[in-house]
């Protein structure tokens, strides 16, 4: 039976209010309210004809008694609830006048950013925490097997070293989350090369995931990035809780399966046409947002994207972008 989504649309704005110590303000929903007892970023509904900026200033005055200056956008999260479709527009607030207090009886708490994930939150607020804590770029390495096709001996070794050198240059741009992927490489050579790549990533404290190969990931002490066709093969999380688990998703069913497995994050696309799939249209940003609203985990947009698409990705609920060509130093 096909699900019928709610027809009621609600637009909400919230502020990431940061004090001089870098702590972030959370407010607890009162027991009588929807999702009572959960913690959230302060804010409220946007009235018809009202801008998000004006609504946030008004709501923070009414709820906290402060006069806030609205800063840059953090993320806009589309989220599906049983009774409504909600869009949460989140902005930075670093300057305000007044002393924040719960004028509507709500508890307030200043929380260090690293501890935000410990607090139970509504589904729409969880991607905001990820946007504040986790990388906005997810590098997928180019297939070294394709780059070195036809090479042998010293030429092959030089080609593999060039790949490692390019990875090192890419990490120097600030990349801190990496997927090692080489589907056409010789498995034994790839295992050695991947070990060297892990060492490079560890030097700069970049998180590493291995595409598809759970055994190799375990040997390297790395996380795992599951292909979409691997999602149905697992009923339980296939890696230790301390390691990252990700997945490639193309449908809402994929997203839900990944969330059930406890994936740290996923990628969804292709959003735009790509050179690797000529003639195939991407799903587009509206379809990305429509699928994104069914789950609350971090989702990277992938497919034909580069740094120039970051703002658009965040506007449609993405953690950021995942890419090969758009992030690789060469």
């Amino acid at each position: 039976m096909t699900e019928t989504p709610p027809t009621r649309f609600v637009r909400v704005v919230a502020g990431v209010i940061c004090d001089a110590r870098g702590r972030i303000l959370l407010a607890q929903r009162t027991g009588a309210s929807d999702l009572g007892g959960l913690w959230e970023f302060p804010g409220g509904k946007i009235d018809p004809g009202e801008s998000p900026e004006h609504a946030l200033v008004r709501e923070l005055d009414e709820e906290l008694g402060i006069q806030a200056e609205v800063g840059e956008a953090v993320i806009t999260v589309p989220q599906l609830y049983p009774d409504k479709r909600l869009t949460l527009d989140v902005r930075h607030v670093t300057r305000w006048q007044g002393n924040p207090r719960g004028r509507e009886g709500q508890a307030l708490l200043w929380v260090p950013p690293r501890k935000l994930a410990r607090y139970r939150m509504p589904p729409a607020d969880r991607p905001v925490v990820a946007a504040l804590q986790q990388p906005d770029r997810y590098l997928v390495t180019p297939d070294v097997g394709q780059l070195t096709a036809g090479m042998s001996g010293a030429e092959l070794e030089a080609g593999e070293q060039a790949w490692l050198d390019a990875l090192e240059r890419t990490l120097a741009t600030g990349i801190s989350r990496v997927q090692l992927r080489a589907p056409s490489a010789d498995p034994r050579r790839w295992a050695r090369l991947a070990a060297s790549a892990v060492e490079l990533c560890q030097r700069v404290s970049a998180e590493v995931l291995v595409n598809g190969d759970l055994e190799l990931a375990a040997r390297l002490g790395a996380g795992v990035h599951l292909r979409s066709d691997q999602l149905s093969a697992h009923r339980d999380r296939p890696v230790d809780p301390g390691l990252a688990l990700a997945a490639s998703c193309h449908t809402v069913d994929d997203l839900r399966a990944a969330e059930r497995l406890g994936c740290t994050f996923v990628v969804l696309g292709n959003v735009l046409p790509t050179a690797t799939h000529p003639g195939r249209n991407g799903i587009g940003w509206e379809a990305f947002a429509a699928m994104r609203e069914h789950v609350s985990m971090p989702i990277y947009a992938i497919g034909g994207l580069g740094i120039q698409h970051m703002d658009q990705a965040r506007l449609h609920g993405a953690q950021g972008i995942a890419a090969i060509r758009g992030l690789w130093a060469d």
Side-chain angles (χ1 to χ4, degrees), residues 64 205 313:
L64 305 177
S205 300

Side-chain angles (χ1 to χ4, degrees), residues 211-288:
N211 178 277
D213 192 334
L214 275 72
E215 182 180 342
L216 177 59
R219 293 207 308 268
L220 298 176
V224 172
H225 185 107
L226 298 173
R227 302 186 306 271
S228 58
D229 61 5
Q230 292 178 301
L231 282 169
S232 60
H234 301 279
R235 293 194 175 188
D236 300 309
R237 201 174 196 271
V239 298
D240 292 337
L243 295 173
L245 177 65
S248 293
C249 297
H250 306 288
T251 66
V252 171
D253 287 342
D254 288 344
L255 291 172
R256 288 172 171 162
E259 192 163 57
R260 284 194 298 269
L261 278 181
C263 281
T264 313
F265 63 90
V266 299
V267 301
L268 177 63
N270 292 334
V271 175
L272 302 180
T274 67
T276 53
H277 299 93
R280 184 187 301 178
N281 292 328
I283 63 173
W285 287 112
E286 295 305 317
F288 176 92

